Amino acid sequence: MSMINYASREINCKLVYYGPGLGGKTTNLEYIYERVNPETRGKLISLATEQERTLFFDFLPVDLGEIRGFKTRFHLYTVPGQVYYNASRRLILKGVDGIVFVADSQPERMDANIASMHNLYENLAEYGYDPRTLPIVLQYNKRDLPNALPIAELREQINPDHLPEFEATAVEGEGVFDTLKAVSKLVLKSLG
Amino acid sequence: MMADGQWAIAAEDLARLDALLASFLSEARLRCALLLDRTGRFLTAAGETGELDPTTFASLAAADFAASDQLAQLLGEADFSSLYHAGERQSMLLADVGGQAILAAIFDDRSTLGLVRLQMRALLPQVAAVFAEMGDRAPAPGGPLDPAWLAAAADEIDRLFNG
């Protein structure tokens, strides 16, 4: 649910990083925060536990600057991945314009990936959002780990709909901006 | 258009909201008043916002309100229509605007909770009426998102998000 403010000539879009716990959602935002031009981003807010697990969300506003007279801004959110935080996850999805699903490539996390993907579709349905029209991209994270599953196997299990997909090692920054670029462009296209 | 789907706020809507906030500011003797939507997007403000980052404020206040709504439901209430946070030097009262927006009033010892509540109660139906009109209106034709705009935005995305 993007907002166009004709008075202040601003366009605001909400992007949400979704996925299983410890999959690398916060790491994506931290890398973006570190690497994007400081003049274009706001404060990175993390509502986390003392153990640095996301409790409610992380939030990072990134400004694209003025494009043909309109200031364009993306609000990046993560959700808490742990299963029992579903009420919080659902709240963050309110008004979402685009989703990055961050999957964990390790075989022992496959069930968590599948459960989280189901949970995403359920929560979208609660708001009446249609996952066939909402921009969603998939990021296969932790590709650097020696036990990372082959992409074909991950794809078969969690990407039967052939969503745009990217390989990443978020901790090194690899694939982070490719993913962000793809979802941002899809979101703006969906508004056109 | 409001609720689900893209929505737009026109210059005249914002002027009306700004006028309402300005009057609220003086009647309730506030430090500042902010208006945001339920998804955490800042709309407008009046008064001494100073160092306050409105983008961050809006995202946290909307989350605060959303979490309280869920707590209300757990208690068997439909919602909590307002939230009060008391500080040592400044306090804050947040209120729902017709389920579509949140009004935040920040005040210090120049005012009292009673006065702010009283003035807010009078203001909320007027702000809600502006949002209801915005919701009824068809989206403004000829928005900025034509193919040339989209191409320029894609270039900017490539330039900025190059890691």
Side-chain angles (χ1 to χ4, degrees), chain A residues 57-83:
Chain A
F57 59 85
D58 307 299
F59 170 69
L60 176 66
V62 182
D63 227 320
L64 270 192
E66 193 169 303
I67 299 167
R68 297 169 75 95
F70 274 81
K71 267 190 275 176
T72 306
R73 176 175 279 171
F74 291 104
H75 288 177
L76 277 48
Y77 285 84
T78 66
V79 297
Q82 294 164 88
V83 173

Side-chain angles (χ1 to χ4, degrees), chain A residues 8-13 15 32 36-43 59-67 70-76 177 180 184 188, chain B residues 53 55 149 153 156-161:
Chain A
S8 56
R9 302 185 73 76
E10 280 181 10
I11 297 171
N12 284 297
C13 303
L15 307 182
I32 294 164
V36 83
N37 180 349
E39 287 170 12
T40 66
R41 50 129 162 101
K43 220 185 270 182
F59 170 69
L60 176 66
V62 182
D63 227 320
L64 270 192
E66 193 169 303
I67 299 167
F70 274 81
K71 267 190 275 176
T72 306
R73 176 175 279 171
F74 291 104
H75 288 177
L76 277 48
F177 278 100
L180 177 60
S184 311
L188 293 181
Chain B
D53 169 0
T55 304
W149 188 92
E156 199 51 34
I157 285 169
D158 286 334
R159 196 188 63 77
L160 182 66
F161 297 157

Side-chain angles (χ1 to χ4, degrees), chain A residues 2-191:
Chain A
S2 67
M3 180 186 76
I4 302 180
N5 188 332
Y6 286 96
S8 56
R9 302 185 73 76
E10 280 181 10
I11 297 171
N12 284 297
C13 303
K14 182 173 187 174
L15 307 182
V16 175
Y17 283 70
Y18 211 94
L22 293 174
K25 301 176 290 296
T26 299
T27 309
N28 266 268
L29 250 64
E30 286 171 343
Y31 187 80
I32 294 164
Y33 178 81
E34 280 165 25
R35 288 308 183 92
V36 83
N37 180 349
E39 287 170 12
T40 66
R41 50 129 162 101
K43 220 185 270 182
L44 174 61
I45 299 289
S46 287
L47 302 187
T49 66
E50 282 178 17
Q51 289 78 37
E52 300 193 358
R53 298 294 302 272
T54 304
L55 175 65
F56 199 171
F57 59 85
D58 307 299
F59 170 69
L60 176 66
V62 182
D63 227 320
L64 270 192
E66 193 169 303
I67 299 167
R68 297 169 75 95
F70 274 81
K71 267 190 275 176
T72 306
R73 176 175 279 171
F74 291 104
H75 288 177
L76 277 48
Y77 285 84
T78 66
V79 297
Q82 294 164 88
V83 173
Y84 47 86
Y85 286 138
N86 192 43
S88 307
R89 262 195 302 281
R90 203 167 40 226
L91 294 180
I92 304 304
L93 281 179
K94 188 175 172 67
V96 67
D97 294 305
I99 289 168
V100 174
F101 187 92
V102 181
D104 191 321
S105 296
Q106 300 175 94
E108 63 269 29
R109 298 299 287 159
M110 186 58 104
D111 287 350
N113 288 330
I114 294 168
S116 180
M117 188 62 99
H118 278 290
N119 174 255
L120 168 64
Y121 278 57
E122 273 172 16
N123 282 336
L124 289 176
E126 290 244 349
Y127 285 117
Y129 300 151
D130 184 353
R132 287 166 304 180
T133 53
L134 187 74
I136 304 176
V137 305
L138 225 144
Q139 182 186 81
Y140 302 118
N141 193 24
K142 308 192 185 181
R143 298 308 300 161
D144 58 325
L145 295 182
N147 62 340
L149 287 168
I151 291 295
E153 201 171 322
L154 285 159
R155 185 180 292 140
E156 192 187 320
Q157 297 276 350
I158 53 174
N159 194 13
D161 297 334
H162 308 289
L163 299 169
E165 55 185 22
F166 298 88
E167 294 188 45
T169 305
V171 75
E172 306 285 341
E174 205 175 301
V176 169
F177 278 100
D178 290 338
T179 311
L180 177 60
K181 268 193 249 186
V183 73
S184 311
K185 287 181 185 176
L186 284 175
V187 164
L188 293 181
K189 208 170 154 194
S190 74
L191 307 180

